[in-house]
Each structure stands twice: as structure tokens, then as C-alpha cells.
Amino acid sequence: TIMLPAMRSAGVGGILLLSLCCCSLVSAEESDGTAKVAVNIAGYKTKHDVTEHSFIDKDARDIQNAMRAPRTAAGFAEALKIYNDGKNSRTITKARTIAEFWPGAHVNSVGLDHLDQPFWKMFKDYQTSTSFDPHLGAVAAMKGEDSDTQGNYETNRVAKHVDFREQVIKKNIKFQIVMVYALHELEIAIEAYVEAKGSELAQTY
């Protein structure tokens, strides 16, 4: 079995860009102690200093670099460590990790979660109908293990190749895991903004 759903997901890049832009305008899904200082990130001016949030991109970069440099089991192990433990981005109390972005079950400081959000419901339906899980798929590829539902990254002649595993990991992270979390942040920001009737309170999310 070769995992291909991640390869079909590149078209969602536009949605990801839109959601990240919107999140930058209304700050993050929770304040995380961010100061009310506007910063420019990739040409977009934010309401709060969400620099730490933006540093999660560096984790994605370092995961990619770890896989590429030695192209050995040690490199993939380092990628998995960054994925699970985090490296560059922090909340007030701990590292922010990409692994926590999936399945989007993060609950923010005022108790808002993803469970009733339209985008997540749509993605959950797809996941249920296909048995495709971007998080489990990325982890299996980083570990080089076989999975009944996500792909045989240890024994399949094609899937076990480091180039194939690298592509699955990159695309699962960028176009699935991060996208679902970005949409989660977008939904929370909109909900908070509506609840606060557009007041300054909404800018804390």
C-alpha cells in the first residue's frame, strides 16, 4: 500500500495562505501573552506581536532539513523529535509543536475548540471515509514503519525510499496538518469577533 492522499492535497495551498493571512490580521487563536504591538510578517501587518506563532514555520523548515542532511535513520529521527517536541516556537509555558496541531483538538484559554467548526467537520468526513490520517501518516513515514492504513514505509519498494517518505512528510505537514490548524484559528477568530461585536476584545484571539 502506498499513501497517496497527501500527494493530492497540494490544491489546498490557497486555502492555507488565506487562512494564515486572516489569522495574522486578527492575531492568534489565543493571546499567549502577545503584546499589542503590530509586526510585519511576510508583508502582512498584524494587530499583535505574533512572532512566536510565526516561528512554527521554522520547525517545518528544520524538519525538512533534518531529513535532507544525513538522509539516514538519524535524520528522520531528528525530524520526528522536532515534530513531537517543538524547537523554534513557544507559548508562555512550553514549546509549540506541529504534532499538537493535529487532530486540531487544541482548546484555547476560553474553551473554544474545533469540534463544531465547519472546516473540521468536512475534513473529518473525508478522513473517516478514506481512513487517511495526516498525523499518523507523517509519523509512520518519519519512523519508516508499515501501517495498515497510512502506507508501508518499511517494506514497500517505493514507499520506503527516503525521497518518497520525505515528500509524504512535507506534504502532510504543510498541506494537511498545518492547514487544518490554521482553519481552526480562523474559525475561532471569527467566532470571537462576532461574539465581541467587533470590539477590541476580539483582537486578543
Side-chain angles (χ1 to χ4, degrees):
T1 302
I2 298 176
M3 179 178 160
L4 292 178
M7 304 302 185
R8 298 197 298 266
S9 64
V12 303
I15 297 176
L16 173 59
L17 177 60
L18 172 62
S19 58
L20 289 176
C21 292
C22 290
C23 289
S24 71
L25 291 173
V26 294
S27 188
E29 55 81 30
E30 62 176 304
S31 64
D32 277 346
T34 53
K36 286 182 60 177
V37 178
V39 294
N40 285 296
I41 299 177
Y44 296 94
K45 189 174 183 179
T46 69
K47 288 288 185 179
H48 288 69
D49 185 354
V50 291
T51 304
E52 282 294 328
H53 292 77
S54 73
F55 284 166
I56 200 67
D57 287 351
K58 294 184 177 182
D59 277 16
R61 175 203 63 193
D62 290 347
I63 287 171
Q64 183 170 316
N65 289 341
M67 293 187 294
R68 284 181 174 177
R71 301 190 73 75
T72 63
F76 281 93
E78 175 63 18
L80 181 62
K81 184 178 188 304
I82 297 171
Y83 177 79
N84 283 328
D85 299 340
K87 181 179 178 181
N88 298 287
S89 178
R90 293 196 60 82
T91 68
I92 295 175
T93 57
K94 65 179 188 64
R96 181 180 285 104
T97 75
I98 295 177
E100 292 176 324
F101 285 7
W102 188 266
H106 174 82
V107 179
N108 77 354
S109 55
V110 292
L112 297 172
D113 62 31
H114 74 291
L115 298 178
D116 294 320
Q117 295 168 0
F119 282 116
W120 172 252
K121 286 182 177 179
M122 179 176 64
F123 202 98
K124 187 66 175 178
D125 288 343
Y126 173 74
Q127 180 185 10
T128 301
S129 66
T130 62
S131 298
F132 169 55
D133 187 305
H135 167 68
L136 294 179
V139 170
M142 281 186 270
K143 289 183 175 181
E145 295 180 345
D146 287 350
S147 167
D148 291 340
T149 58
Q150 307 306 313
N152 295 327
Y153 299 104
E154 181 179 12
T155 60
N156 183 274
R157 180 178 61 86
V158 176
K160 71 180 182 180
H161 195 281
V162 291
D163 289 337
F164 188 94
R165 290 168 59 196
E166 180 184 335
Q167 287 299 313
V168 169
I169 294 162
K170 288 196 303 183
K171 288 179 170 58
N172 275 14
I173 288 175
K174 292 181 179 180
F175 301 133
Q176 300 279 357
I177 297 167
V178 173
M179 182 197 75
V180 168
Y181 189 79
L183 292 173
H184 166 59
E185 286 205 345
L186 176 62
E187 297 270 13
I188 281 182
I190 292 173
E191 184 175 346
Y193 192 82
V194 171
E195 181 68 22
K197 296 180 172 59
S199 73
E200 179 62 21
L201 174 63
Q203 301 303 330
T204 62
Y205 302 100

